[in-house]
Amino acid sequence: MAHDHGHPHDHEHTHDHDHGPVEGSWRDERADDPLSVSRRAFLAGAAVVAGTAAGIGGAAAGVGQGTAAAAPGGRTPVNPWSGNNRFYAGDHHIHTQYSPDAQYTVEQQVAKGQQYGLSWVVITDHGSVAHQKFSVDQVTPNIEASRAAYRDMLVYQGLEWNIPGAEHATVFLPPGRNTVDILKAFELAYDGSVLASNGVIPRATAAAGEPYAIQALQYLDQQVRSGRTDIALMFANHPSRNGIDSPHELRGWRDAAPRVAVGMEGAPGHQIAASPLSTASPRSGRGYYDRSPNQDSFAGYAPNGAENPYRTYGGFDWMTAKVGGVWDSLLAEGLPWFVTSTSDSHQVFGDTYRPGTQDYATTGSRGAPVDTGVPITTYGDFWPGQYSSTLVAAQSKNYVDVMRGLQSGQVVAVHGRLIDGLDVRVRAFRGDGDRRGVTLGGRTFVARGGDVKLDVTIDLAAGPNFNGQVPRLAKVDLISGPVTGPVTDRDTLTAPQTRVVKTFDVTSSAGGRRVRLDYTFTDVQQSFYLRLRGSDGNQLDSAGNPLIDVVGNEDPFADLWFYANPVFVDVV
Amino acid sequence: MTGALDDALAGSGRAAVPVRLTVAELLARTAIDRVVGIGGEALPGDEVDTVDGYLRPVRHPDGVELLVDPTGPRTWRPVEIRSPHECCGGHG
């Protein structure tokens, strides 16, 4: 059984054959079968026992599902390597006319996502009183219509949640009979803007909201446990933009609901906001990262002469871009936390549409967007898929499987089509251990003193990106650090022992289809994790790290990176 | 919130500052003791684009400091500006 338990997708595979994915409509008749619901709950429970849902378990007590089966020191591989994963590109952060600061119809955004090569999109309009009251009932039939019109696209219904006490987050569910009810109840009870409007907390980002954020995630987790939805996910969006997602909040979300709160935007959207072609005034930062500390910001993120956490680096959020920074400090605990890349598409640079004239506060919609016929160059966004892709390896292209792929960290965040795919295998190579090995987001094991081998196959861009260039991958960094266990100070924001252990120069691969890399960790004495990032090599500092993005002067296509999610190695 | 973000230049001094000036001019004309470039040194002859004359330096025990971001070769902009990009109708 150990093998089966370590093979998360076997469970989902069986599930899908029994019931079929709940696809096509949130009113799917199959999902109305009470037996189906109860069996889903049963299978969800089985997955919990198998340690698959939370995936990687944890060193911390009370981390939740999966801990027993996949705790560090155990012998239960997570995300076993198969070598035949298929990646599906998508975007979990897209706005429509049902946000007060956006404009497009759902159908327009889905059509653009398809045009730009995406397989899945999540509609995430801003949470608010007006959105909860008026918008959800309008967007739901629009999403259903887009599912029917674009059969090859997965169109998820979600919310851009104002995390009480913190930044925004994507929350989304697969289609199901309870999906809309859960989203509405969640927003009413736990959206920071709604709580502030109702006087429960002084403002959406005030620290007084932090306990509500924890309760909110526990609520979502309870919806999964009770079988009301197969899965629910949360990703923290633009985490460094205002410096208000403190490290203890990130850890709190992760630990409150490790099956639900699984990661953050490694790269925010709005990637063309600092383009030299922009006519916006004042000029903004890449990602619209042009802010500075406010009353709710975390003191540890204060800018200084060495760095500015409130800016992007190579298009990626500082938490992700800094080696040994916030992301690594989370991974060094031995717990999963995954990164993505999204468009946050509100208003697209060079597009001709402006918002409709409807009053949002009283109707929950901007109304139909208006075509001005003139390209508008003050906007800072790309269309879904035009620049940012979250590549997810999934067993099949259905709603629950793609979410399982995201939940288990089989994910690569890519800008400007720098790569088309990435196969990663990490295995015990000498000495006792997991010979098959695991892939992205996974956890493998080796006996102390053994060797661990990393094999990487990168699919280079097989064609031009949407700027008409075939990107050239110049280098790949292998980053690794020891797993040092739970932190004492929950606001820890560095992992000083994490470093680039090897840089692969792959410039000679230009024109080829694939790059193969390998690296062996010898005589391994301590549990560790590894991750990969790659660059076009255009904008590097002397240590090979990304440069801070210059306000008002960043061509996004001249500075491309990918970031892959970690693999953990337990020494037993 | 970190330390004391001190509006050290409140009052008549602010209006006298032009939108674009050199680091040397900024030091000469205001109470700012030093201009600190992020990721590089802000040299006396470098240009500071205040966007609209807004300056909100931080008072440290050893002087008043203005942190600036790079905006191009030998040009900088204060980390804190009056009107950063708003989202969600200003509620975000």
Side-chain angles (χ1 to χ4, degrees):
Chain A
M1 288 303 289
H3 174 76
D4 287 341
H5 282 182
H7 203 313
H9 291 294
D10 284 348
H11 293 281
E12 296 318 309
H13 198 62
T14 305
H15 169 190
D16 289 347
H17 278 276
D18 283 349
H19 309 286
V22 185
E23 274 184 308
S25 166
W26 64 277
R27 286 201 288 255
D28 193 298
E29 287 174 9
R30 288 170 296 182
D32 282 332
D33 171 9
L35 177 62
S36 165
V37 171
S38 65
R39 290 199 62 189
R40 265 208 306 280
F42 169 76
L43 286 163
V48 166
V49 172
T52 58
I56 302 176
V63 162
Q65 301 70 35
T67 302
R75 291 170 179 263
T76 307
V78 176
N79 294 357
W81 178 80
S82 69
N84 57 8
N85 272 333
R86 171 140 184 223
F87 281 100
Y88 299 97
D91 184 341
H92 70 67
H93 190 175
I94 297 166
H95 292 266
T96 74
Q97 62 188 330
Y98 303 115
S99 290
D101 55 350
Q103 59 188 34
Y104 303 112
T105 64
V106 172
E107 195 271 344
Q108 280 177 300
Q109 292 288 42
V110 172
K112 287 295 184 180
Q114 182 191 52
Q115 177 186 334
Y116 288 113
L118 299 185
S119 297
W120 57 274
V121 292
V122 188
I123 303 301
T124 52
D125 288 305
H126 293 290
S128 70
V129 169
H131 180 268
Q132 201 276 340
K133 272 188 181 175
F134 307 125
S135 306
V136 179
D137 288 335
Q138 297 173 76
V139 79
T140 300
N142 291 172
I143 288 172
E144 283 197 53
S146 286
R147 285 175 187 150
Y150 298 87
R151 284 287 181 187
D152 55 342
M153 292 284 284
L154 304 178
V155 185
Y156 293 94
Q157 187 158 359
L159 165 74
E160 189 167 28
W161 176 38
N162 294 288
I163 308 171
E167 264 293 353
H168 303 169
T170 288
V171 165
F172 70 114
L173 307 176
R177 66 184 301 216
N178 300 308
T179 295
V180 175
D181 289 346
I182 293 169
L183 286 170
K184 280 175 119 173
F186 176 84
E187 185 173 352
L188 181 63
Y190 301 115
D191 184 82
S193 175
V194 173
L195 290 173
S197 295
N198 293 337
V200 179
I201 56 177
R203 59 191 174 279
T205 56
E210 290 183 20
Y212 296 99
I214 300 297
Q215 291 172 27
L217 293 164
Q218 289 168 337
Y219 168 82
L220 289 176
D221 192 48
Q222 189 56 40
Q223 305 316 300
V224 180
R225 288 170 187 267
S226 66
R228 293 189 77 216
T229 182
D230 283 340
I231 185 170
L233 292 178
M234 173 274 210
F235 287 94
N237 290 341
H238 38 73
S240 295
R241 182 183 61 163
N242 285 301
I244 57 176
D245 284 0
S246 63
H248 76 262
E249 287 174 286
L250 295 167
R251 290 186 166 94
W253 307 332
R254 177 196 66 186
D255 296 348
R259 295 188 301 184
V260 175
V262 295
M264 62 187 177
E265 285 179 342
H270 312 304
Q271 285 282 325
I272 198 167
S275 165
L277 303 175
S278 170
T279 56
S281 179
R283 306 295 286 276
S284 191
R286 196 168 175 179
Y288 283 136
Y289 274 39
D290 62 0
R291 303 191 186 184
S292 54
N294 67 43
Q295 61 184 328
D296 295 320
S297 299
F298 173 65
Y301 299 153
N304 57 62
E307 61 181 354
N308 188 350
Y310 293 72
R311 303 291 174 264
T312 53
Y313 286 73
F316 277 69
D317 186 281
W318 168 83
M319 289 189 189
T320 294
K322 182 180 181 181
V323 174
V326 174
W327 186 31
D328 284 317
S329 83
L330 297 167
L331 300 179
E333 291 184 89
L335 298 175
W337 190 253
F338 303 128
V339 299
T340 62
S341 170
T342 74
S343 70
D344 199 355
S345 185
H346 286 68
Q347 298 182 300
V348 172
F349 178 83
D351 183 46
T352 58
Y353 279 84
R354 64 170 172 76
T357 54
Q358 206 163 297
D359 180 55
Y360 183 85
T362 54
T363 68
S365 173
R366 304 294 299 266
V370 178
D371 190 351
T372 66
V374 179
I376 300 170
T377 52
T378 54
Y379 296 161
D381 308 343
F382 284 110
W383 294 110
Q386 190 180 7
Y387 182 75
S388 303
S389 298
T390 296
L391 303 181
V392 181
Q395 283 284 308
S396 73
K397 185 173 158 183
N398 76 48
Y399 282 95
V400 173
D401 274 357
V402 168
M403 291 184 76
R404 294 271 184 237
L406 283 161
Q407 183 186 48
S408 63
Q410 299 183 58
V411 174
V412 190
V414 183
H415 276 170
R417 200 182 180 181
L418 182 58
I419 61 172
D420 276 349
L422 176 66
D423 181 58
V424 167
R425 181 185 191 186
V426 182
R427 60 190 156 128
F429 198 61
R430 187 181 62 79
D432 286 342
D434 170 23
R435 295 282 177 179
R436 178 182 181 180
V438 303
T439 192
L440 296 176
R443 176 181 292 277
T444 184
F445 66 92
V446 65
R448 190 178 309 278
D451 294 352
V452 172
K453 180 133 188 264
L454 163 70
D455 287 290
V456 181
T457 304
I458 299 169
D459 292 328
L460 299 170
N465 59 25
F466 294 109
N467 200 40
Q469 309 152 322
V470 180
R472 294 266 176 94
L473 183 68
K475 69 128 174 191
V476 176
D477 292 326
L478 169 60
I479 295 162
S480 182
V483 168
T484 49
V487 292
T488 311
D489 175 3
R490 302 277 285 176
D491 274 325
T492 297
L493 71 166
T494 61
Q497 297 181 77
T498 296
R499 54 178 56 94
V500 175
V501 298
K502 168 90 175 172
T503 294
F504 300 91
D505 180 343
V506 297
T507 48
S508 62
S509 67
R513 293 178 56 197
R514 286 204 164 122
V515 175
R516 292 184 204 279
L517 311 170
D518 66 84
Y519 185 86
T520 303
F521 296 83
T522 58
D523 190 19
V524 171
Q525 296 291 325
Q526 185 178 4
S527 296
F528 68 101
Y529 71 95
L530 63 87
R531 61 183 181 88
L532 298 164
R533 72 177 179 190
S535 167
D536 61 4
N538 286 340
Q539 296 190 35
L540 306 175
D541 70 12
S542 58
N545 290 310
L547 296 172
I548 190 169
D549 287 316
V550 173
V551 172
N553 194 18
E554 283 290 339
D555 171 3
F557 283 101
D559 184 19
L560 301 178
W561 290 78
F562 80 80
Y563 285 72
N565 279 291
V567 173
F568 297 90
V569 179
D570 289 330
V571 170
V572 296
Chain B
M1 188 61 176
T2 172
L5 249 188
D6 186 1
D7 200 350
L9 297 183
S12 58
R14 177 183 294 164
V17 178
V19 168
R20 299 178 83 95
L21 71 175
T22 65
V23 170
E25 288 168 341
L26 188 64
L27 295 175
R29 297 176 66 151
T30 70
I32 292 169
D33 296 310
R34 59 180 182 270
V35 176
V36 175
I38 292 173
E41 188 181 359
L43 302 172
D46 289 357
E47 188 171 68
V48 177
D49 176 2
T50 68
V51 182
D52 56 4
Y54 182 82
L55 292 171
R56 200 150 183 261
V58 177
R59 187 189 299 282
H60 292 285
D62 59 346
V64 176
E65 175 179 297
L66 183 71
L67 264 181
V68 292
D69 283 315
T71 56
R74 305 265 61 97
T75 60
W76 306 88
R77 185 171 97 174
V79 163
E80 182 171 349
I81 60 172
R82 191 195 309 273
S83 307
H85 180 80
E86 285 189 353
C87 93
C88 348
H91 299 296

